[in-house]
Amino acid sequence: MMKNLIDKLYDERTLPREEMRTLLENYTPEDREYLFALARRRQLQYYGNKVFTRGLIEISNYCKNDCIYCGIRRSNRNVQRYHLNKEDILECCKAGYEWGFRTFVMQGGEDGKYTDDYMCDIISAIKSQYPDCAVTLSLGERSRESYQRMFDAGADRYLLRHETATESHYSRLHPEDQLLSTRIKCLYDLKDIGYQVGTGFMVGSPYQTTDNLLNDLEFIQKLQPEMIGIGPFISHKDTPFKDCANGTVGMTLFLMGILRLMNPKALIPATTALGTIQDGGRELGVLAGANVVMPNLSPVDVRKKYMLYDNKLCTGDEAAESCAVLKARMERIGYQVVSERGDHVDK
Ligand code: SAM
């Protein structure tokens, strides 16, 4: 029944809002499989059966923000805070390079320790030691000037999820001083400067409605990001959302398939959150259209402290040490984990 809509989405890369609503609210298991088959076809068209890896370095869990859903929010007094220094980060890159990573992602809370000067110094050091690698940043909202300086120092990509494109929903997930308009301005600044930009949202975040999701899809279509990261919301015991239901694997995968058809050339990760709520979740992500995985390169002693949500995978095969396991898992489903920068095809 939905097959016609999925075919239309495949051909036209978009659907009118009401047709998209119908699809999101009424799809059957057969529709889902059909969507995933078409999503894989699109993924093969531009990137073949390659899965790109990104070495994730969680540089700090200090954060000046207080996002209601996030385990490392400022108000959470139960977090043991840490930040990595330049040497720690370069150690992670060294190990990562040997394991085959050609992209390093530095992600963290909004931590005042990482001034522009300090970040530029770290970025230039990585780029001079590993000129064949890409540097991705995910450090939240900063000034345009700051983004520009880090770009000039050699940063290639920036990940900043918009979280939800609906203002009233954004204000239920964040305190009053955090505004959707600021996030959006940051995303356009990043694009304008020349970064490959990633955005995205949590699936099943508290109070999320179908209309919110439709707004998210429309926002992504307008922004045209090079990367799109979505993952299920997972509650954290020390946040006000501790009793809220988690997002589902099913809806996350379905939206990933839709996003692949809307954005055939995008780099779409099968996120850690997906692997956390279901064993094998990241393989399912790849089979629904994802083509990136982001194993953890952070030093082992800090991994448990970067706990964005309960039970976040932080040992075992999400970690970079187990690249061989990840490779085998992907090969089993017909995909090849490659040691490449994995830039967007148009960049
Ligand atoms: N501070 C940077 C920022 O805001 O972009 C990067 C770090 S932030 C912790 C990275 C992402 O974690 C957020 O964009 C958010 O979507 C995700 N996240 C935070 N809490 C989560 C939760 N409870 N469940 C799922 N994802 C969560």
Side-chain angles (χ1 to χ4, degrees), residues 283-306:
E283 288 94 305
L284 294 177
V286 169
L287 291 170
N291 55 354
V292 171
V293 285
M294 299 174 68
N296 198 330
L297 275 186
S298 309
V300 175
D301 60 314
V302 306
R303 280 186 203 161
K304 283 201 163 55
K305 299 177 187 159
Y306 198 82

Side-chain angles (χ1 to χ4, degrees), residues 33-300:
E33 291 315 311
Y34 186 65
L35 172 73
F36 294 163
L38 294 192
R40 290 196 292 274
R41 198 187 292 170
R42 278 286 185 237
Q43 169 201 43
L44 288 173
Q45 183 181 352
Y46 293 107
Y47 295 100
N49 71 340
K50 289 180 181 179
V51 173
F52 302 104
T53 56
R54 318 298 194 200
L56 180 64
I57 309 171
E58 296 159 335
I59 65 172
S60 170
N61 65 359
Y62 281 88
C63 194
K64 71 175 172 58
N65 288 336
D66 218 16
C67 307
I68 321 266
Y69 45 84
C70 184
I72 62 167
R73 65 199 297 264
R74 180 184 70 220
S75 303
N76 185 2
R77 305 265 170 260
N78 297 332
V79 181
Q80 248 186 296
R81 304 281 171 173
Y82 74 90
H83 18 220
L84 302 184
N85 60 29
K86 180 181 170 188
E87 288 65 42
D88 301 326
I89 294 170
L90 287 170
E91 275 296 304
C92 297
C93 295
K94 182 165 181 276
Y97 192 86
E98 282 163 16
W99 286 318
F101 290 90
R102 295 296 177 267
T103 290
F104 302 117
V105 182
M106 287 185 273
Q107 184 181 87
E110 294 196 18
D111 177 352
K113 176 183 163 95
Y114 300 94
T115 60
D116 296 343
D117 284 341
Y118 192 38
M119 276 316 301
C120 288
D121 182 40
I122 297 171
I123 295 162
S124 337
I126 299 176
K127 293 298 278 196
S128 69
Q129 289 183 28
Y130 306 102
D132 54 337
C133 291
V135 167
T136 303
L137 303 174
S138 179
L139 303 171
E141 296 169 7
R142 298 172 77 105
S143 67
R144 183 179 172 123
E145 186 202 355
S146 166
Y147 290 147
Q148 183 72 58
R149 286 193 58 196
M150 297 191 294
F151 184 76
D152 295 341
D156 303 274
R157 310 183 190 135
Y158 205 101
L159 306 176
L160 183 70
R161 288 183 174 178
H162 65 279
E163 312 295 359
T164 171
T166 310
E167 208 140 351
S168 54
H169 187 217
Y170 197 91
S171 66
R172 299 184 87 170
L173 302 182
H174 300 93
E176 267 180 5
D177 61 338
Q178 290 178 240
L179 300 175
L180 175 60
S181 54
T182 313
R183 279 249 135 179
I184 292 178
K185 177 181 182 306
C186 288
L187 285 164
Y188 281 103
D189 283 345
L190 290 161
K191 271 226 122 181
D192 206 36
I193 290 167
Y195 281 93
Q196 293 178 53
V197 172
T199 198
F201 56 92
M202 289 176 291
V203 177
S205 59
Y207 315 112
Q208 187 177 63
T209 62
T210 305
D211 268 301
N212 297 152
L213 290 172
L214 294 170
N215 291 345
D216 290 325
L217 297 177
E218 286 169 13
F219 173 71
I220 289 173
Q221 188 159 40
K222 193 162 149 230
L223 180 70
Q224 290 288 308
E226 283 76 22
M227 302 166 285
I228 306 167
I230 67 167
F233 159 77
I234 304 175
S235 67
H236 186 292
K237 62 180 177 21
D238 298 321
T239 66
F241 290 156
K242 62 179 188 302
D243 296 322
C244 294
N246 292 342
T248 64
V249 175
M251 195 58 180
T252 305
L253 294 172
F254 194 72
L255 283 161
M256 283 168 69
I258 285 180
L259 285 164
R260 169 57 69 205
L261 293 193
M262 294 179 76
N263 307 272
K265 297 178 178 175
L267 290 149
I268 301 182
T271 55
T272 307
L274 194 54
T276 296
I277 55 169
Q278 182 164 326
D279 186 32
R282 282 171 306 173
E283 288 94 305
L284 294 177
V286 169
L287 291 170
N291 55 354
V292 171
V293 285
M294 299 174 68
N296 198 330
L297 275 186
S298 309
V300 175

Side-chain angles (χ1 to χ4, degrees), residues 10-29:
Y10 181 83
D11 291 336
E12 298 179 11
R13 301 178 181 194
T14 186
L15 280 182
R17 189 173 174 97
E18 291 315 308
E19 292 183 1
M20 187 65 88
R21 184 194 306 279
T22 304
L23 188 56
L24 290 183
E25 291 182 343
N26 300 290
Y27 71 88
T28 64

